[in-house]
Amino acid sequence: MSVVGKNIPHDSAKGHVTGESLYIDDLPFARNELLVDYWGSPVAHGRIRSLNLEEAAKIPGVVALFTYRDLGGHNHFGPIIEDEMLLVEELCEYIGQPIVVIAAETRKAIAQAKKAIQVDMETLEPVFTIDDAIAKRQFIGTTRVIQRGDLDTAFQQADHVLDGTFINGGQDHFYLESQAVIAYPGEHQTLTVHSSTQNPSEVQREIANILGLQHHQVVCVTKRMGGAFGGKETQATHPAAMAALVALKTHRPARLVLNKDDDMRTTGKRHPFQNNYKVAFNRDGLILGLQVDFYSDGGAAADLSTSIMGRAMTHAENAYFIPNIKITGTVCKTNFPPNTAFRGFGGPQGIANIENIIEEIAATLQQDAYDIRRLNCYGLQERNMTPYGQVFQNNWLPTIFNQLAERADYKNRRAEVEAFNARSRTHLKGISMTPVKFGISFNTKFLNQGNALVNVYLDGTVQVSTGGTEMGQGLNTKIQQLVADEFHIPAESVIVMSTSTEKNNNTSATAASSGTDINGSAAVIAAQKIRERLIEFASRHFALKELGLIPSTGHIQFEAGQIYDSRNPDKKLTFAELVKLAYFDRVNLGERGFYTTPGVDFNWETGQGTPFLYFTTGCAVSEVLIDRFTGELKVLRTDILMDIGKPINPGIDRGQITGAFIQGMGWVTTEELKFSASGELLSHSPTTYKIPNIQDVPEIFNVDWVDNDGNHMNVRRSKAVGEPPLVLGLSVWAAVKHALGCVSGGQIPKLNLPATNEEILMRLTELAESRSVAPSPVTPPFAVCPNEPEN
């Protein structure tokens, strides 16, 4: 009778389809509400000599213009390092960096005010590349290290050593709802802020700190987000603080909703990485040692870059045991908007690097990359210690490798792919299987906590409030199921309320794939406390002296919405009847739950510890088709098999797996960030930035998971699925690299990420030129397989 494990619909599914779901900009305008926007730096790096707002202030409809001088608190803020300014004081460090906040009656007035602002700016030399940042020693934070073993000996004794540089680009979040906020002023200098944010507590804190208020004067409310993917973990703070500034100063409600172009131009992205690597391996492909130096583009301020680098480093080996290893991580400072969290939080960048290395080992040895991966895979009892000292327990990867290879008919299909490449003069195919081992928990220990409030009402219905935020991932639905299951009532009897700092204090962001783990666990703890009180009351209520029954909590049964004493099963109460009787007996029907993730700890001084509660694992096989003349890429088929424990809601988890994979596929193929020479983002709209569309989805797309009920460490034996499947998009990229290997003439094909059509065509051309294949009207301008027929 358990509702956990059932495919109940997402709690907002009907609302999304009918348009009844409310987002920030759907909230009705107040009578005296102001529109808010900001004017930002016209250059990537410059110093303000003078700023004149007089003409802008005269424009009809403009109510107020604010600069950093109008802030009542601290202009500097940041989630880790307080190195970012809400409003520029003198030094501008990226195009669009906010300088002036504009409050007006109409958008027309705002647009005119932006044109009327006069600035005298000294232009300074910007830094736009990781190489330039390294040369100028422009870094954020310190270089961190994780290492073990004897790397020097490993390189000396290896049969083969490879080195190189691997580049993977950034990615825009492309959430459908841009950054959005409405701030309402109240009595006693209080503010109620409705924000599209993954982190209401941080919005509350930073508004208070920036405006010189105390935390209890600010309430942040989040009903839902129209997508976030990490882009609203910290960066929702900026527009929220601006709207709050206007509301506090003018005593009028203030609404700030960015359009898509401005949102993409001025917000941070997934961090681009540039990695130098050196790997030692034997003639069988067993990796003996690895040295990798990660360099990320952090942008102009720290944001979450140091933590993101930390996760990249703890995923540098992915699914493979490497006995001798040294990993360093350095964040570079450039003159782009501060880059930020993105689904996977650095894990994908770390994993992409080792998967590239695996493909290159396979090319060197002329072996199937699957065999290299399987050979180096983490073991069950041996070869199961990570470079940072955590034992990899409950490891399903060997089973998943074997099962998926059989289910997807991998070996036969690989042979068919290579046969196709030998005969086709117009197209290439590629196929590859890549794994993921993704750690679940926040890297920072104190963030692994959450609280929940559960209230039971006299009609037997329940309201739940947690610090978790709903961005479409189904968090509320899973919590609804968990709480309903504790009381053995239908899921529709439970509603998860809007997230509010008034009800749930000092909460962590909904991130790191831990939203259900942390907030669901807290809600279960609260529900269990109430149920224990109801059981104690029921034991007294059902006791009958004439039958010789004395109160016994051990005999009280909750079953299908009814409660009874197993010694007298004919006498039953509905849940609502029990609740009402308990209320008249003065039983507390509300409770708070508090959860801390057990056993997680990590020391960056030593590079050792247990940063994760458990690992979510899986593999994907992808097959691709490439047009040799244009580089056009088509994903023909993808098969995914994962270990996600016991799903709380299988339908939602399936949606998370497919959605994450497609987003990951976009990162590795079509989603390319293009900047002008002056540092302005050129791909800032759906017309210039290509996310996957329905035609890019694999024609054959199989998703499944193994039956694993052994994850005793997490709520209801479930596992997180928000971020790990995104990494499996790398199977598409690896399949492209395999295809290039078929025409490389024994060379190791180079391939940056993303593998856009242009990138693929450029690599094909390079291979052709290196083999001196002369282009002709009938011969494609690129290499062909040695055994390719003439016609």
Side-chain angles (χ1 to χ4, degrees):
M1 298 300 295
S2 174
V3 70
V4 169
K6 297 293 192 303
N7 284 324
I8 73 168
H10 189 290
D11 73 328
S12 297
K14 290 182 180 179
H16 292 344
V17 173
T18 61
E20 294 176 291
S21 295
L22 291 177
Y23 296 89
I24 295 296
D25 210 23
D26 295 322
L27 298 179
F29 277 78
R31 186 182 62 179
N32 61 340
E33 187 172 305
L34 291 172
L35 297 173
V36 181
D37 205 341
Y38 59 88
W39 180 80
S41 172
V43 299
H45 197 198
R47 180 173 286 106
I48 298 175
R49 293 193 184 102
S50 65
L51 181 67
N52 188 335
L53 306 180
E54 291 181 4
E55 294 303 316
K58 296 176 183 177
I59 291 173
V62 171
V63 174
L65 300 167
F66 299 110
T67 68
Y68 74 92
R69 292 185 175 89
D70 298 296
L71 303 177
H74 306 286
N75 192 19
H76 286 75
F77 67 102
I80 300 173
I81 302 170
E82 292 188 351
D83 64 342
E84 189 168 1
M85 289 183 291
L86 179 68
L87 300 174
V88 171
E89 296 179 4
E90 181 183 12
L91 187 66
C92 301
E93 297 193 284
Y94 62 89
I95 290 177
Q97 186 174 9
I99 299 173
V100 181
V101 175
I102 306 169
E105 304 282 358
T106 66
R107 297 200 179 278
K108 181 179 179 181
I110 290 175
Q112 291 176 336
K114 287 183 178 182
K115 293 179 181 179
I117 292 173
Q118 300 171 10
V119 64
D120 180 13
M121 182 86 71
E122 176 191 0
T123 301
L124 304 174
E125 182 181 3
V127 171
F128 291 141
T129 69
I130 288 175
D131 284 334
D132 284 348
I134 293 172
K136 294 187 175 184
R137 309 294 295 172
Q138 285 193 190
F139 302 128
I140 296 172
T142 60
T143 296
R144 289 170 164 174
V145 180
I146 294 174
Q147 62 183 332
R148 75 163 169 207
D150 186 349
L151 203 56
D152 291 338
T153 300
F155 283 117
Q156 292 170 4
Q157 297 179 352
D159 297 322
H160 302 276
V161 174
L162 285 176
D163 59 35
T165 298
F166 179 63
I167 296 171
N168 58 74
Q171 184 181 20
D172 188 84
H173 302 86
F174 212 88
Y175 30 67
L176 294 182
E177 179 197 30
S178 296
Q179 299 283 356
V181 60
I182 304 176
Y184 298 96
E187 299 176 357
H188 312 298
Q189 284 196 304
T190 59
L191 293 167
T192 300
V193 180
H194 290 257
S195 173
S196 181
T197 177
Q198 296 172 244
N199 197 346
S201 288
E202 180 168 338
V203 168
Q204 175 198 33
R205 287 193 299 267
E206 295 298 2
I207 286 175
N209 294 339
I210 290 169
L211 300 185
L213 302 175
Q214 294 179 306
H215 293 189
H216 75 305
Q217 291 175 280
V218 182
V219 174
C220 181
V221 179
T222 301
K223 172 61 178 175
R224 60 168 59 87
M225 289 158 277
F229 309 116
K232 298 175 182 177
E233 182 172 346
T234 59
Q235 301 213 345
T237 300
H238 308 55
M242 294 181 201
L245 169 65
V246 171
L248 187 67
K249 294 290 187 178
T250 66
H251 306 289
R252 296 171 64 174
R255 179 184 305 239
L256 195 165
V257 180
L258 293 180
N259 62 47
K260 179 54 67 178
D261 295 274
D262 288 344
D263 187 293
M264 293 183 71
R265 285 189 184 105
T266 59
T267 59
K269 319 299 182 190
R270 183 186 296 281
H271 289 68
F273 268 59
Q274 179 173 303
N275 314 317
N276 301 324
Y277 62 88
K278 183 178 179 182
V279 61
F281 53 99
N282 67 16
R283 60 178 59 89
D284 296 322
L286 185 69
I287 299 176
L288 306 176
L290 172 66
Q291 180 172 337
V292 57
D293 299 313
F294 288 125
Y295 292 93
S296 71
D297 182 345
D303 198 276
L304 292 166
S305 294
T306 52
S307 287
I308 289 163
M309 176 58 77
R311 185 168 283 266
M313 294 172 67
T314 55
H315 288 74
E317 89 292 5
N318 191 23
Y320 314 111
F321 176 79
I322 303 176
N324 307 288
I325 190 168
K326 182 177 181 181
I327 309 155
T328 68
T330 306
V331 179
C332 297
K333 180 174 180 177
T334 62
N335 291 109
F336 292 118
N339 288 316
T340 190
F342 199 127
R343 199 173 193 172
F345 202 79
Q349 293 97 313
I351 292 171
N353 186 73
I354 187 64
E355 294 306 326
N356 175 66
I357 289 171
I358 292 287
E359 292 290 331
E360 300 204 339
I361 292 173
T364 300
L365 299 177
Q366 294 296 293
Q367 292 186 24
D368 186 341
Y370 169 86
D371 296 326
I372 305 299
R373 290 185 169 97
R374 188 66 186 84
L375 175 67
N376 287 282
C377 182
Y378 271 106
L380 303 181
Q381 302 300 327
E382 299 177 343
R383 292 171 55 85
N384 64 344
M385 180 77 75
T386 66
Y388 43 89
Q390 179 168 354
V391 176
F392 181 15
Q393 299 176 330
N394 196 18
N395 177 14
W396 278 76
L397 274 172
T399 299
I400 293 173
F401 262 116
N402 297 340
Q403 286 191 12
L404 186 58
E406 182 177 349
R407 291 189 189 190
D409 195 22
Y410 172 79
K411 287 293 184 180
N412 288 332
R413 287 171 58 202
R414 180 180 169 92
E416 291 171 359
V417 161
E418 295 189 344
F420 173 88
N421 291 341
R423 66 176 181 268
S424 175
R425 299 183 65 82
T426 59
H427 290 80
L428 281 174
K429 285 186 177 182
I431 188 170
S432 188
M433 181 191 295
T434 61
V436 61
K437 174 185 68 67
F438 199 91
I440 305 299
S441 291
F442 286 98
N443 286 59
T444 304
K445 182 178 180 179
F446 74 84
L447 294 176
N448 293 288
Q449 59 174 299
N451 62 76
L453 173 64
V454 175
N455 289 326
V456 178
Y457 294 92
L458 297 186
D459 62 352
T461 59
V462 181
Q463 287 183 350
V464 183
S465 301
T466 76
T469 56
E470 177 63 56
M471 61 197 89
Q473 82 278 36
L475 169 67
N476 286 356
T477 307
K478 288 186 174 182
I479 293 176
Q480 177 188 26
Q481 289 176 267
L482 289 168
V483 172
D485 214 50
E486 291 300 322
F487 294 123
H488 291 260
I489 57 178
E492 54 266 26
S493 295
V494 179
I495 289 181
V496 180
M497 308 302 291
S498 297
T499 307
S500 170
T501 57
E502 186 179 10
K503 292 177 289 186
N504 299 97
N505 60 318
N506 307 326
T507 58
S508 298
T510 304
S513 299
S514 61
T516 300
D517 293 11
I518 291 175
N519 297 285
S521 296
V524 165
I525 291 170
Q528 288 174 342
K529 291 180 180 179
I530 297 173
R531 191 182 67 183
E532 288 170 4
R533 291 198 287 268
L534 289 173
I535 288 174
E536 196 281 328
F537 168 76
S539 70
R540 293 185 278 109
H541 175 78
F542 287 121
L544 296 174
K545 294 181 180 179
E546 60 268 24
L547 296 180
L549 300 181
I550 61 174
S552 173
T553 58
H555 287 88
I556 301 301
Q557 301 294 315
F558 278 64
E559 185 178 290
Q562 294 187 315
I563 299 90
Y564 61 92
D565 189 312
S566 61
R567 297 170 297 177
N568 186 21
D570 293 333
K571 184 179 181 182
K572 296 181 178 180
L573 291 173
T574 66
F575 183 71
E577 290 170 338
L578 176 66
V579 166
K580 187 173 291 187
L581 290 172
Y583 166 75
F584 285 121
D585 201 49
R586 300 184 297 180
V587 174
N588 180 6
L589 298 174
E591 189 58 76
R592 298 188 68 83
F594 183 74
Y595 173 79
T596 59
T597 308
V600 293
D601 203 4
F602 192 79
N603 185 341
W604 275 111
E605 295 296 323
T606 61
Q608 297 290 297
T610 306
F612 308 117
L613 180 63
Y614 62 87
F615 298 93
T616 295
T617 58
C619 290
V621 177
S622 290
E623 181 179 343
V624 302
L625 178 68
I626 297 170
D627 187 313
R628 295 195 190 206
F629 291 93
T630 65
E632 181 182 4
L633 173 67
K634 179 69 176 176
V635 183
L636 300 177
R637 175 176 171 178
T638 293
D639 296 79
I640 295 175
L641 184 63
M642 297 194 71
D643 165 28
I644 59 171
K646 298 289 287 186
I648 294 171
N649 187 312
I652 284 177
D653 284 356
R654 184 176 297 275
Q656 283 288 283
I657 293 171
T658 56
F661 173 84
I662 291 168
Q663 190 171 46
M665 185 179 70
W667 171 53
V668 305
T669 58
T670 64
E671 296 186 42
E672 186 175 26
L673 298 168
K674 286 287 191 179
F675 293 88
S676 70
S678 62
E680 183 177 3
L681 182 67
L682 300 175
S683 50
H684 55 74
S685 74
T687 60
T688 53
Y689 184 79
K690 188 183 186 308
I691 64 171
N693 61 34
I694 192 63
Q695 294 177 329
D696 296 311
V697 175
E699 296 175 0
I700 301 172
F701 196 7
N702 300 314
V703 174
D704 202 359
W705 48 80
V706 296
D707 185 17
N708 173 23
D709 63 355
N711 186 35
H712 302 282
M713 306 181 76
N714 197 43
V715 58
R716 299 305 290 266
R717 303 186 183 184
S718 64
K719 283 192 173 185
V721 294
E723 295 172 300
L726 181 141
V727 181
L728 296 178
L730 285 166
S731 62
V732 175
W733 181 90
V736 174
K737 184 135 179 164
H738 168 238
L740 294 176
C742 287
V743 295
S744 67
Q747 300 179 64
I748 298 176
K750 299 298 179 184
L751 183 67
N752 290 335
L753 186 159
T756 61
N757 297 350
E758 294 85 353
E759 170 74 10
I760 293 169
L761 186 60
M762 181 177 68
R763 298 305 177 185
L764 284 168
T765 303
E766 288 176 353
L767 290 170
E769 291 173 348
S770 69
R771 295 185 60 198
S772 301
V773 176
S776 70
V778 294
T779 303
F782 33 72
V784 294
C785 287
N787 58 343
E788 186 174 33
E790 293 182 3
N791 297 307

